[in-house]
Amino acid sequence: STVENKTVSALKPECFTNKLIKKIHRDSQGKLWFLAGGELFLYNSYEWININKLYKIKPAINALAQDKSGNLWVSVRGEGLYILSKKSNDSYQFVPFGKNEELKNLTIQNIIFDSRNNLWICTNGSGIAKLDRDKLQFFNRSNGFNADIVTTVCEDRSGNLWFGTNGDGIIKYNPSPFVYYDNI
């Protein structure tokens, strides 16, 4: 929907007919990306571009996040993560993430880049994974994280991460557990 002069008008593009819109993302250049029905769409002010069709992506895309360099990361069901990076003008490059062997069997529910540019991956059954540079670390019930099914994540202004689970409540993670005060 668009809002002008306090009036709401609905947009109903054909590409969204009978599709659940899972996420809307505004990138660092102001472009709008829509994740709907397992497909990723880019709206460039005059047309809807189906990224799945453009790059011949058959499996569903189920998560989307942007890193500090402006690259979009997408989760492709059964294949892991792919990076959609802008080359020039309006052309993009779509390349697989180098550690997809560790990720391809996961059901990724959501992804987010935190303020430190770490990628957090929420999974259905394997807890969460953190990508710090090129190191992938998993947290689940086997190593102290209280949930295996994690549906969503959000970072607050203080840098805490909040994980929403399926049946195990909310888990708050503070990346800086030790605070040192000198000369108080």
Side-chain angles (χ1 to χ4, degrees), residues 3-38:
V3 179
E4 291 181 30
N5 300 328
K6 298 181 183 179
T7 304
V8 176
S9 58
L11 298 176
K12 293 185 180 181
E14 281 188 34
C15 60
F16 293 157
T17 302
N18 298 323
K19 290 184 180 164
L20 170 70
I21 299 174
K22 184 176 179 182
K23 183 168 185 166
I24 302 171
H25 174 76
R26 183 174 179 254
D27 70 17
S28 56
Q29 297 178 332
K31 293 186 179 181
L32 291 175
W33 298 81
F34 295 81
L35 190 54

mmCIF file of all heavy atoms in Angstrom, residues 3-38:
data_model
loop_
_atom_site.group_PDB
_atom_site.id
_atom_site.type_symbol
_atom_site.label_atom_id
_atom_site.label_comp_id
_atom_site.label_asym_id
_atom_site.label_seq_id
_atom_site.Cartn_x
_atom_site.Cartn_y
_atom_site.Cartn_z
ATOM 1 N N VAL A 3 0.784 5.520 0.939
ATOM 2 C CA VAL A 3 0.040 6.509 1.714
ATOM 3 C C VAL A 3 0.368 7.891 1.167
ATOM 4 O O VAL A 3 1.513 8.293 1.137
ATOM 5 C CB VAL A 3 0.407 6.431 3.212
ATOM 6 C CG1 VAL A 3 -0.353 7.480 3.991
ATOM 7 C CG2 VAL A 3 0.139 5.045 3.765
ATOM 8 N N GLU A 4 -0.658 8.589 0.703
ATOM 9 C CA GLU A 4 -0.495 9.966 0.232
ATOM 10 C C GLU A 4 -1.622 10.799 0.817
ATOM 11 O O GLU A 4 -2.775 10.410 0.761
ATOM 12 C CB GLU A 4 -0.554 10.017 -1.293
ATOM 13 C CG GLU A 4 0.649 9.366 -1.969
ATOM 14 C CD GLU A 4 0.566 9.452 -3.479
ATOM 15 O OE1 GLU A 4 -0.023 10.421 -3.986
ATOM 16 O OE2 GLU A 4 1.084 8.547 -4.124
ATOM 17 N N ASN A 5 -1.250 11.942 1.379
ATOM 18 C CA ASN A 5 -2.238 12.836 1.977
ATOM 19 C C ASN A 5 -3.163 12.095 2.944
ATOM 20 O O ASN A 5 -4.371 12.289 2.939
ATOM 21 C CB ASN A 5 -3.059 13.552 0.893
ATOM 22 C CG ASN A 5 -2.182 14.380 -0.005
ATOM 23 O OD1 ASN A 5 -1.160 14.906 0.433
ATOM 24 N ND2 ASN A 5 -2.557 14.484 -1.268
ATOM 25 N N LYS A 6 -2.592 11.211 3.730
ATOM 26 C CA LYS A 6 -3.308 10.434 4.739
ATOM 27 C C LYS A 6 -4.386 9.535 4.145
ATOM 28 O O LYS A 6 -5.349 9.181 4.800
ATOM 29 C CB LYS A 6 -3.883 11.352 5.805
ATOM 30 C CG LYS A 6 -2.827 12.118 6.555
ATOM 31 C CD LYS A 6 -3.417 12.987 7.621
ATOM 32 C CE LYS A 6 -2.308 13.784 8.294
ATOM 33 N NZ LYS A 6 -2.812 14.671 9.311
ATOM 34 N N THR A 7 -4.251 9.179 2.872
ATOM 35 C CA THR A 7 -5.158 8.243 2.229
ATOM 36 C C THR A 7 -4.368 6.991 1.890
ATOM 37 O O THR A 7 -3.277 7.071 1.349
ATOM 38 C CB THR A 7 -5.738 8.852 0.930
ATOM 39 O OG1 THR A 7 -6.370 10.078 1.265
ATOM 40 C CG2 THR A 7 -6.727 7.912 0.292
ATOM 41 N N VAL A 8 -4.934 5.837 2.192
ATOM 42 C CA VAL A 8 -4.255 4.572 1.905
ATOM 43 C C VAL A 8 -4.804 4.010 0.610
ATOM 44 O O VAL A 8 -6.015 3.902 0.435
ATOM 45 C CB VAL A 8 -4.466 3.559 3.056
ATOM 46 C CG1 VAL A 8 -3.839 2.230 2.717
ATOM 47 C CG2 VAL A 8 -3.908 4.111 4.356
ATOM 48 N N SER A 9 -3.892 3.671 -0.296
ATOM 49 C CA SER A 9 -4.324 3.019 -1.539
ATOM 50 C C SER A 9 -3.541 1.724 -1.687
ATOM 51 O O SER A 9 -2.344 1.676 -1.434
ATOM 52 C CB SER A 9 -4.100 3.936 -2.743
ATOM 53 O OG SER A 9 -2.747 4.305 -2.839
ATOM 54 N N ALA A 10 -4.226 0.674 -2.079
ATOM 55 C CA ALA A 10 -3.610 -0.648 -2.172
ATOM 56 C C ALA A 10 -3.030 -0.877 -3.559
ATOM 57 O O ALA A 10 -3.618 -0.509 -4.562
ATOM 58 C CB ALA A 10 -4.642 -1.722 -1.855
ATOM 59 N N LEU A 11 -1.849 -1.474 -3.577
ATOM 60 C CA LEU A 11 -1.244 -1.925 -4.825
ATOM 61 C C LEU A 11 -1.444 -3.431 -4.902
ATOM 62 O O LEU A 11 -1.164 -4.140 -3.947
ATOM 63 C CB LEU A 11 0.257 -1.618 -4.848
ATOM 64 C CG LEU A 11 0.678 -0.155 -4.782
ATOM 65 C CD1 LEU A 11 2.193 -0.054 -4.706
ATOM 66 C CD2 LEU A 11 0.173 0.594 -5.991
ATOM 67 N N LYS A 12 -1.927 -3.913 -6.020
ATOM 68 C CA LYS A 12 -2.138 -5.354 -6.177
ATOM 69 C C LYS A 12 -1.493 -5.826 -7.472
ATOM 70 O O LYS A 12 -2.183 -6.168 -8.433
ATOM 71 C CB LYS A 12 -3.627 -5.681 -6.174
ATOM 72 C CG LYS A 12 -4.284 -5.428 -4.835
ATOM 73 C CD LYS A 12 -5.729 -5.870 -4.846
ATOM 74 C CE LYS A 12 -6.354 -5.592 -3.500
ATOM 75 N NZ LYS A 12 -7.738 -6.002 -3.432
ATOM 76 N N PRO A 13 -0.161 -5.848 -7.515
ATOM 77 C CA PRO A 13 0.481 -6.335 -8.736
ATOM 78 C C PRO A 13 0.182 -7.818 -8.943
ATOM 79 O O PRO A 13 0.046 -8.579 -7.990
ATOM 80 C CB PRO A 13 1.968 -6.104 -8.471
ATOM 81 C CG PRO A 13 2.104 -5.873 -7.020
ATOM 82 C CD PRO A 13 0.792 -5.454 -6.492
ATOM 83 N N GLU A 14 0.053 -8.214 -10.199
ATOM 84 C CA GLU A 14 -0.282 -9.598 -10.527
ATOM 85 C C GLU A 14 0.742 -10.584 -9.979
ATOM 86 O O GLU A 14 0.404 -11.714 -9.650
ATOM 87 C CB GLU A 14 -0.401 -9.770 -12.040
ATOM 88 C CG GLU A 14 -1.706 -9.274 -12.598
ATOM 89 C CD GLU A 14 -1.860 -9.629 -14.060
ATOM 90 O OE1 GLU A 14 -1.382 -10.699 -14.483
ATOM 91 O OE2 GLU A 14 -2.459 -8.819 -14.777
ATOM 92 N N CYS A 15 1.996 -10.177 -9.882
ATOM 93 C CA CYS A 15 3.041 -11.096 -9.426
ATOM 94 C C CYS A 15 2.822 -11.549 -7.977
ATOM 95 O O CYS A 15 3.399 -12.543 -7.544
ATOM 96 C CB CYS A 15 4.425 -10.485 -9.589
ATOM 97 S SG CYS A 15 4.709 -8.950 -8.687
ATOM 98 N N PHE A 16 1.981 -10.850 -7.214
ATOM 99 C CA PHE A 16 1.717 -11.219 -5.826
ATOM 100 C C PHE A 16 0.378 -11.936 -5.627
ATOM 101 O O PHE A 16 -0.005 -12.214 -4.498
ATOM 102 C CB PHE A 16 1.757 -9.991 -4.915
ATOM 103 C CG PHE A 16 3.116 -9.372 -4.777
ATOM 104 C CD1 PHE A 16 3.253 -8.052 -4.412
ATOM 105 C CD2 PHE A 16 4.276 -10.102 -5.004
ATOM 106 C CE1 PHE A 16 4.496 -7.463 -4.270
ATOM 107 C CE2 PHE A 16 5.527 -9.529 -4.871
ATOM 108 C CZ PHE A 16 5.640 -8.208 -4.503
ATOM 109 N N THR A 17 -0.318 -12.242 -6.692
ATOM 110 C CA THR A 17 -1.611 -12.901 -6.576
ATOM 111 C C THR A 17 -1.462 -14.240 -5.852
ATOM 112 O O THR A 17 -0.638 -15.068 -6.219
ATOM 113 C CB THR A 17 -2.236 -13.124 -7.975
ATOM 114 O OG1 THR A 17 -2.359 -11.853 -8.609
ATOM 115 C CG2 THR A 17 -3.597 -13.783 -7.873
ATOM 116 N N ASN A 18 -2.248 -14.412 -4.800
ATOM 117 C CA ASN A 18 -2.257 -15.643 -3.990
ATOM 118 C C ASN A 18 -0.902 -15.972 -3.366
ATOM 119 O O ASN A 18 -0.588 -17.138 -3.147
ATOM 120 C CB ASN A 18 -2.760 -16.836 -4.809
ATOM 121 C CG ASN A 18 -4.184 -16.639 -5.266
ATOM 122 O OD1 ASN A 18 -5.001 -16.078 -4.544
ATOM 123 N ND2 ASN A 18 -4.479 -17.076 -6.468
ATOM 124 N N LYS A 19 -0.083 -14.962 -3.070
ATOM 125 C CA LYS A 19 1.215 -15.194 -2.443
ATOM 126 C C LYS A 19 1.286 -14.499 -1.089
ATOM 127 O O LYS A 19 0.842 -13.363 -0.941
ATOM 128 C CB LYS A 19 2.353 -14.685 -3.336
ATOM 129 C CG LYS A 19 2.540 -15.508 -4.576
ATOM 130 C CD LYS A 19 3.720 -15.037 -5.367
ATOM 131 C CE LYS A 19 3.852 -15.901 -6.607
ATOM 132 N NZ LYS A 19 4.711 -15.317 -7.588
ATOM 133 N N LEU A 20 1.854 -15.212 -0.128
ATOM 134 C CA LEU A 20 2.114 -14.638 1.181
ATOM 135 C C LEU A 20 3.361 -13.766 1.087
ATOM 136 O O LEU A 20 4.416 -14.238 0.671
ATOM 137 C CB LEU A 20 2.343 -15.759 2.202
ATOM 138 C CG LEU A 20 2.870 -15.337 3.567
ATOM 139 C CD1 LEU A 20 1.800 -14.589 4.341
ATOM 140 C CD2 LEU A 20 3.339 -16.542 4.343
ATOM 141 N N ILE A 21 3.241 -12.500 1.445
ATOM 142 C CA ILE A 21 4.396 -11.603 1.448
ATOM 143 C C ILE A 21 5.078 -11.754 2.802
ATOM 144 O O ILE A 21 4.543 -11.343 3.829
ATOM 145 C CB ILE A 21 3.989 -10.148 1.157
ATOM 146 C CG1 ILE A 21 3.350 -10.065 -0.226
ATOM 147 C CG2 ILE A 21 5.197 -9.228 1.257
ATOM 148 C CD1 ILE A 21 2.777 -8.724 -0.572
ATOM 149 N N LYS A 22 6.249 -12.370 2.795
ATOM 150 C CA LYS A 22 6.946 -12.714 4.030
ATOM 151 C C LYS A 22 7.820 -11.573 4.544
ATOM 152 O O LYS A 22 7.974 -11.388 5.738
ATOM 153 C CB LYS A 22 7.804 -13.963 3.794
ATOM 154 C CG LYS A 22 8.499 -14.469 5.031
ATOM 155 C CD LYS A 22 9.253 -15.757 4.763
ATOM 156 C CE LYS A 22 9.965 -16.212 6.020
ATOM 157 N NZ LYS A 22 10.741 -17.427 5.797
ATOM 158 N N LYS A 23 8.410 -10.807 3.629
ATOM 159 C CA LYS A 23 9.318 -9.749 4.072
ATOM 160 C C LYS A 23 9.376 -8.652 3.021
ATOM 161 O O LYS A 23 9.316 -8.916 1.828
ATOM 162 C CB LYS A 23 10.719 -10.320 4.301
ATOM 163 C CG LYS A 23 11.703 -9.299 4.831
ATOM 164 C CD LYS A 23 12.987 -9.928 5.311
ATOM 165 C CE LYS A 23 13.851 -8.847 5.937
ATOM 166 N NZ LYS A 23 14.945 -9.382 6.701
ATOM 167 N N ILE A 24 9.508 -7.417 3.512
ATOM 168 C CA ILE A 24 9.762 -6.258 2.661
ATOM 169 C C ILE A 24 11.044 -5.631 3.176
ATOM 170 O O ILE A 24 11.189 -5.386 4.371
ATOM 171 C CB ILE A 24 8.603 -5.244 2.717
ATOM 172 C CG1 ILE A 24 7.295 -5.890 2.285
ATOM 173 C CG2 ILE A 24 8.920 -4.032 1.845
ATOM 174 C CD1 ILE A 24 6.078 -5.023 2.505
ATOM 175 N N HIS A 25 11.985 -5.401 2.281
ATOM 176 C CA HIS A 25 13.281 -4.861 2.686
ATOM 177 C C HIS A 25 13.611 -3.637 1.839
ATOM 178 O O HIS A 25 13.533 -3.685 0.614
ATOM 179 C CB HIS A 25 14.378 -5.924 2.506
ATOM 180 C CG HIS A 25 15.760 -5.418 2.766
ATOM 181 N ND1 HIS A 25 16.232 -5.209 4.034
ATOM 182 C CD2 HIS A 25 16.757 -5.055 1.926
ATOM 183 C CE1 HIS A 25 17.473 -4.745 3.960
ATOM 184 N NE2 HIS A 25 17.804 -4.648 2.690
ATOM 185 N N ARG A 26 13.978 -2.559 2.487
ATOM 186 C CA ARG A 26 14.455 -1.360 1.796
ATOM 187 C C ARG A 26 15.967 -1.378 1.881
ATOM 188 O O ARG A 26 16.534 -1.332 2.984
ATOM 189 C CB ARG A 26 13.881 -0.103 2.446
ATOM 190 C CG ARG A 26 14.270 1.163 1.739
ATOM 191 C CD ARG A 26 13.532 2.355 2.353
ATOM 192 N NE ARG A 26 13.927 3.557 1.681
ATOM 193 C CZ ARG A 26 14.736 4.472 2.226
ATOM 194 N NH1 ARG A 26 15.189 4.320 3.448
ATOM 195 N NH2 ARG A 26 15.065 5.547 1.550
ATOM 196 N N ASP A 27 16.656 -1.471 0.743
ATOM 197 C CA ASP A 27 18.113 -1.581 0.769
ATOM 198 C C ASP A 27 18.770 -0.222 0.981
ATOM 199 O O ASP A 27 18.093 0.809 1.076
ATOM 200 C CB ASP A 27 18.640 -2.313 -0.468
ATOM 201 C CG ASP A 27 18.512 -1.528 -1.767
ATOM 202 O OD1 ASP A 27 18.311 -0.298 -1.732
ATOM 203 O OD2 ASP A 27 18.619 -2.161 -2.840
ATOM 204 N N SER A 28 20.091 -0.215 1.057
ATOM 205 C CA SER A 28 20.834 1.018 1.357
ATOM 206 C C SER A 28 20.718 2.048 0.239
ATOM 207 O O SER A 28 21.038 3.213 0.446
ATOM 208 C CB SER A 28 22.304 0.691 1.628
ATOM 209 O OG SER A 28 22.866 -0.011 0.535
ATOM 210 N N GLN A 29 20.248 1.642 -0.934
ATOM 211 C CA GLN A 29 20.042 2.586 -2.037
ATOM 212 C C GLN A 29 18.582 3.011 -2.171
ATOM 213 O O GLN A 29 18.220 3.717 -3.093
ATOM 214 C CB GLN A 29 20.522 1.963 -3.351
ATOM 215 C CG GLN A 29 22.006 1.680 -3.349
ATOM 216 C CD GLN A 29 22.443 1.021 -4.632
ATOM 217 O OE1 GLN A 29 21.662 0.334 -5.285
ATOM 218 N NE2 GLN A 29 23.689 1.244 -4.996
ATOM 219 N N GLY A 30 17.748 2.544 -1.232
ATOM 220 C CA GLY A 30 16.351 2.926 -1.234
ATOM 221 C C GLY A 30 15.447 2.055 -2.090
ATOM 222 O O GLY A 30 14.258 2.324 -2.198
ATOM 223 N N LYS A 31 15.991 1.007 -2.701
ATOM 224 C CA LYS A 31 15.170 0.114 -3.516
ATOM 225 C C LYS A 31 14.399 -0.845 -2.620
ATOM 226 O O LYS A 31 14.880 -1.246 -1.563
ATOM 227 C CB LYS A 31 16.033 -0.662 -4.504
ATOM 228 C CG LYS A 31 16.646 0.228 -5.546
ATOM 229 C CD LYS A 31 17.361 -0.557 -6.597
ATOM 230 C CE LYS A 31 17.923 0.421 -7.616
ATOM 231 N NZ LYS A 31 18.607 -0.255 -8.688
ATOM 232 N N LEU A 32 13.202 -1.220 -3.058
ATOM 233 C CA LEU A 32 12.352 -2.113 -2.285
ATOM 234 C C LEU A 32 12.425 -3.531 -2.835
ATOM 235 O O LEU A 32 12.303 -3.756 -4.044
ATOM 236 C CB LEU A 32 10.905 -1.632 -2.318
ATOM 237 C CG LEU A 32 10.635 -0.334 -1.548
ATOM 238 C CD1 LEU A 32 9.200 0.116 -1.763
ATOM 239 C CD2 LEU A 32 10.917 -0.519 -0.077
ATOM 240 N N TRP A 33 12.632 -4.475 -1.912
ATOM 241 C CA TRP A 33 12.692 -5.899 -2.232
ATOM 242 C C TRP A 33 11.554 -6.586 -1.491
ATOM 243 O O TRP A 33 11.305 -6.290 -0.319
ATOM 244 C CB TRP A 33 14.028 -6.490 -1.784
ATOM 245 C CG TRP A 33 15.209 -5.878 -2.468
ATOM 246 C CD1 TRP A 33 15.822 -4.695 -2.155
ATOM 247 C CD2 TRP A 33 15.921 -6.400 -3.584
ATOM 248 N NE1 TRP A 33 16.863 -4.458 -3.001
ATOM 249 C CE2 TRP A 33 16.952 -5.492 -3.898
ATOM 250 C CE3 TRP A 33 15.785 -7.558 -4.354
ATOM 251 C CZ2 TRP A 33 17.844 -5.704 -4.943
ATOM 252 C CZ3 TRP A 33 16.677 -7.764 -5.393
ATOM 253 C CH2 TRP A 33 17.692 -6.851 -5.680
ATOM 254 N N PHE A 34 10.871 -7.499 -2.165
ATOM 255 C CA PHE A 34 9.730 -8.202 -1.593
ATOM 256 C C PHE A 34 9.979 -9.698 -1.688
ATOM 257 O O PHE A 34 10.289 -10.206 -2.769
ATOM 258 C CB PHE A 34 8.441 -7.851 -2.350
ATOM 259 C CG PHE A 34 8.046 -6.404 -2.220
ATOM 260 C CD1 PHE A 34 8.639 -5.424 -2.993
ATOM 261 C CD2 PHE A 34 7.071 -6.027 -1.306
ATOM 262 C CE1 PHE A 34 8.277 -4.092 -2.875
ATOM 263 C CE2 PHE A 34 6.700 -4.701 -1.176
ATOM 264 C CZ PHE A 34 7.305 -3.730 -1.959
ATOM 265 N N LEU A 35 9.828 -10.381 -0.577
ATOM 266 C CA LEU A 35 9.932 -11.834 -0.530
ATOM 267 C C LEU A 35 8.509 -12.367 -0.433
ATOM 268 O O LEU A 35 7.832 -12.159 0.568
ATOM 269 C CB LEU A 35 10.770 -12.255 0.669
ATOM 270 C CG LEU A 35 11.191 -13.695 0.780
ATOM 271 C CD1 LEU A 35 11.897 -14.169 -0.476
ATOM 272 C CD2 LEU A 35 12.128 -13.860 1.967
ATOM 273 N N ALA A 36 8.038 -12.993 -1.499
ATOM 274 C CA ALA A 36 6.636 -13.418 -1.563
ATOM 275 C C ALA A 36 6.529 -14.779 -2.235
ATOM 276 O O ALA A 36 7.032 -14.971 -3.346
ATOM 277 C CB ALA A 36 5.809 -12.397 -2.344
ATOM 278 N N GLY A 37 5.877 -15.711 -1.554
ATOM 279 C CA GLY A 37 5.643 -17.023 -2.130
ATOM 280 C C GLY A 37 6.904 -17.751 -2.542
ATOM 281 O O GLY A 37 6.912 -18.472 -3.533
ATOM 282 N N GLY A 38 7.996 -17.545 -1.822
ATOM 283 C CA GLY A 38 9.256 -18.210 -2.148
ATOM 284 C C GLY A 38 10.028 -17.549 -3.275
ATOM 285 O O GLY A 38 11.055 -18.061 -3.718
#
